[in-house]
Amino acid sequence: MKKSFNTEEQKTTGHSQWSNRGVFLLVAIGSAVGLGNIWKFPYIVGENGGGAFVLVYLLCIVLVGVPVLIAEIALGKSAQSNPVSAFSNLAVACKANRFWALFGYVGIISGFLILSFYSVVAGWSLEYLRVFIQNDLLGSDARAVEQYFTQLLASPNTLLLWHSVFMLLTVAIAARGVRKGIEKIITWSMPILFVILVILVLYATQLEGFSKAFDYLFVVDFSKLTTDGVLIALGHSFFTLSLGMGAMMVYGSYLQKDTPVVKLSFMIAIADTLVALMAGLAIFPLIFTYGLQSASGPSLLFISLPNALLNLPFGQFFGIAFFFLLLIAALSSAISILEPVLSFVQQKTRLSRRFTAYLIGSIVWLIGISALLAFNNWSDVHLLGERNIFDSLDYVTTNILLPLGGFGISIFAVWVVSKQSSTRKLLGISDSKYPIWRISAGIIAPIVIGVIAWNGLS
Ligand code: TRP
């Protein structure tokens, strides 16, 4: 690729722009839909007892997720710049303290840390894609399938190979630019993702475990819900909508200034939720048909699911489809985790987008190596309490940095930016929706986030 920055996509403002709103919708959904929906959501539903947890999760999306999502996109769109400058420029415009930019920096740090362990897990899906293509597990019994995953985690070289491949894919796409890279790849990959998911759900409806899975997800039994479950649901509503680190903010900054954001935010949240529920409807019927455990935790997709697939007609085909789906979902999210960091460093240093992407990618790749070694050679290295490096990265970001970022974003949007009538207009939230958004993003969300953070720290 030759120098493609500073082409027509940036002609008017010096800042990139999406081709149109539909494209924005797709890339934002691409960011939201990821390992969080397909890997994490089913297993935390399994660990927290099913229907009641799903209901609480839906409430969190509506009460906290959507208002913060609106705030994030609106801030980015008003500022038309990377998250750090968005905070500082808007703070200046509102005559507020520039320390608000600290929240932008929190997002930049979160980006490095989240992407490093995200890439390791995405690497597992690459390995399973290979396994299903080559049919390596053919004829294995349940024990052998379980051992396969245990052995994968014990092999630093295999983990390193796939982590590197995944990072390289992510960086190569991002390096090509907002339009020529991100937009181009996601406008074809998201439709494929939806088609595969629909096929997988239709397949699952044919299995005898389907009705049990349906009841499991949608019949509410509050006796199974714990306080911990409520907090996990809250934290996950953040992670799954890509909130709290400026990913949605930077995507919003590539929107035209007159774009209304409320409707788009609802559409993103609805699509993301549908995909999570459909992932549950695609996975649990297989698990139940084979009488496997729904509460098996993070290995649900890498032990229980392959086990079920091995026993099903066309299992190899659906295995390939499933892990390919997981890969494109992870890739479109990873690109969005990189983008705030990339746009910040690029705007600050004026280096080329391509060079910056590879530079940041290398740093993330290095941190990721320490995360994958946590499963084997460095399993004795504890960072935070008893947590190994991988768990510490996950913990610090999901429980501390993202809630902190989300807290700052919603307070700043409601109590600073929307206080001034000139900047309030820039947000693009219509008068009829404004009071509800103000209460939900300015009061309800910060309180709820405060509770998550409190729990995360205690
Ligand atoms: N939402 C993605 C998922 O569900 C992950 C993700 C992408 C993310 N961008 C983010 C999480 C920004 C937190 C912050 O897998």
Side-chain angles (χ1 to χ4, degrees):
M1 255 279 295
K2 312 270 150 19
K3 292 187 179 180
S4 72
F5 37 95
N6 276 336
T7 49
E8 49 157 338
E9 65 186 74
Q10 309 183 332
K11 203 160 42 194
T12 45
T13 55
H15 193 67
S16 307
Q17 296 255 309
W18 304 117
S19 299
N20 55 57
R21 278 175 208 175
V23 163
F24 167 75
L25 204 56
L26 275 185
V27 294
I29 293 171
S31 166
V33 170
L35 295 172
N37 303 60
I38 298 163
W39 169 62
K40 203 166 181 190
F41 178 73
Y43 93 70
I44 57 179
V45 170
E47 285 182 332
N48 291 285
F53 176 85
V54 173
L55 181 68
V56 173
Y57 162 79
L58 293 177
L59 283 174
C60 294
I61 293 281
V62 176
L63 290 177
V64 185
V66 174
V68 178
L69 180 60
I70 295 171
E72 228 187 287
I73 298 175
L75 284 180
K77 192 199 59 152
S78 320
Q80 305 268 311
S81 66
N82 70 72
V84 175
S85 316
F87 271 106
S88 57
N89 296 348
L90 288 170
V92 170
C94 300
K95 301 186 182 59
N97 196 311
R98 290 187 69 166
F99 87 87
W100 283 105
L102 280 179
F103 286 106
Y105 286 105
V106 169
I108 302 297
I109 295 169
S110 312
F112 276 104
L113 302 182
I114 297 177
L115 190 51
S116 65
F117 70 86
Y118 203 84
S119 168
V120 173
V121 179
W124 302 347
S125 50
L126 274 165
E127 164 70 3
Y128 275 78
L129 183 58
R130 183 198 66 72
V131 164
F132 273 93
I133 289 174
Q134 299 188 335
N135 222 353
D136 273 4
L137 288 172
L138 187 72
S140 308
D141 60 6
R143 236 182 92 77
V145 173
E146 186 175 341
Q147 267 180 359
Y148 193 87
F149 187 58
T150 320
Q151 254 164 25
L152 170 67
L153 293 186
S155 331
N157 291 340
T158 319
L159 294 177
L160 177 62
L161 169 72
W162 295 122
H163 164 55
S164 311
V165 171
F166 185 78
M167 274 312 298
L168 207 61
L169 281 172
T170 306
V171 169
I173 296 167
R176 297 180 68 101
V178 170
R179 279 202 186 176
K180 292 193 175 135
I182 304 179
E183 192 176 306
K184 209 164 148 194
I185 200 95
I186 289 174
T187 38
W188 70 257
S189 67
M190 288 313 286
I192 296 180
L193 183 146
F194 280 113
V195 171
I196 298 179
L197 193 57
V198 169
I199 294 174
L200 287 170
V201 173
L202 288 177
Y203 172 66
T205 59
Q206 305 307 308
L207 301 174
E208 74 188 89
F210 186 78
S211 64
K212 188 170 171 203
F214 194 87
D215 290 351
Y216 182 72
L217 284 169
F218 298 114
V219 173
V220 175
D221 174 1
F222 279 111
S223 69
K224 290 190 183 146
L225 192 68
T226 60
T227 350
D228 240 19
V230 175
L231 293 158
I232 292 173
L234 277 169
H236 187 65
S237 66
F238 246 76
F239 189 86
T240 192
L241 289 178
S242 308
L243 299 175
M245 63 149 290
M248 288 298 183
M249 209 189 267
V250 78
Y251 274 9
S253 78
Y254 302 142
L255 274 172
Q256 251 148 19
K257 279 197 170 164
D258 59 354
T259 316
V261 296
V262 174
K263 200 166 115 195
L264 289 172
S265 304
F266 271 98
M267 287 163 86
I268 296 164
I270 290 170
D272 182 70
T273 308
L274 272 180
V275 170
L277 295 175
M278 284 169 76
L281 285 178
I283 293 164
F284 284 118
L286 278 69
I287 307 289
F288 289 145
T289 302
Y290 282 89
L292 299 168
Q293 281 301 315
S294 60
S296 54
S299 64
L300 181 72
L301 246 58
F302 299 101
I303 296 177
S304 310
L305 185 76
N307 253 327
L309 283 166
L310 282 175
N311 291 296
L312 286 166
F314 313 111
Q316 183 189 10
F317 174 79
F318 287 105
I320 295 172
F322 187 87
F323 287 102
F324 183 67
L325 166 88
L326 197 58
L327 173 66
I328 48 185
L331 197 56
S332 57
S333 297
I335 294 169
S336 81
I337 306 175
L338 184 64
E339 188 60 23
V341 188
L342 184 48
S343 79
F344 168 68
V345 176
Q346 200 203 347
Q347 276 183 16
K348 267 264 150 19
T349 60
R350 303 267 157 211
L351 292 166
S352 77
R353 184 173 166 105
R354 190 185 167 81
F355 180 80
T356 316
Y358 281 93
L359 180 72
I360 296 167
S362 314
I363 300 171
V364 171
W365 178 74
L366 280 175
I367 308 175
I369 293 178
S370 69
L372 66 85
L373 287 173
F375 292 105
N376 36 71
N377 300 0
W378 290 2
S379 58
D380 292 338
V381 179
H382 302 291
L383 284 187
L384 296 169
E386 286 298 291
R387 295 179 186 86
N388 64 28
I389 301 175
F390 182 94
D391 293 340
S392 301
L393 286 168
D394 182 11
Y395 175 83
V396 163
T397 51
T398 314
N399 294 342
I400 301 173
L401 297 180
L402 291 182
L404 186 66
F407 187 83
I409 286 164
S410 49
I411 299 262
F412 183 68
V414 173
W415 299 109
V416 179
V417 178
S418 82
K419 280 283 169 209
Q420 303 255 340
S421 60
S422 58
T423 43
R424 196 195 127 181
K425 271 208 196 74
L426 278 178
L427 291 176
I429 298 165
S430 67
D431 289 342
S432 58
K433 292 168 189 135
Y434 181 70
I436 302 183
W437 172 74
R438 224 173 90 105
I439 294 172
S440 48
I443 299 170
I444 301 175
I447 291 177
V448 170
I449 295 166
V451 174
I452 311 179
W454 183 254
N455 173 74
L457 290 171
S458 56

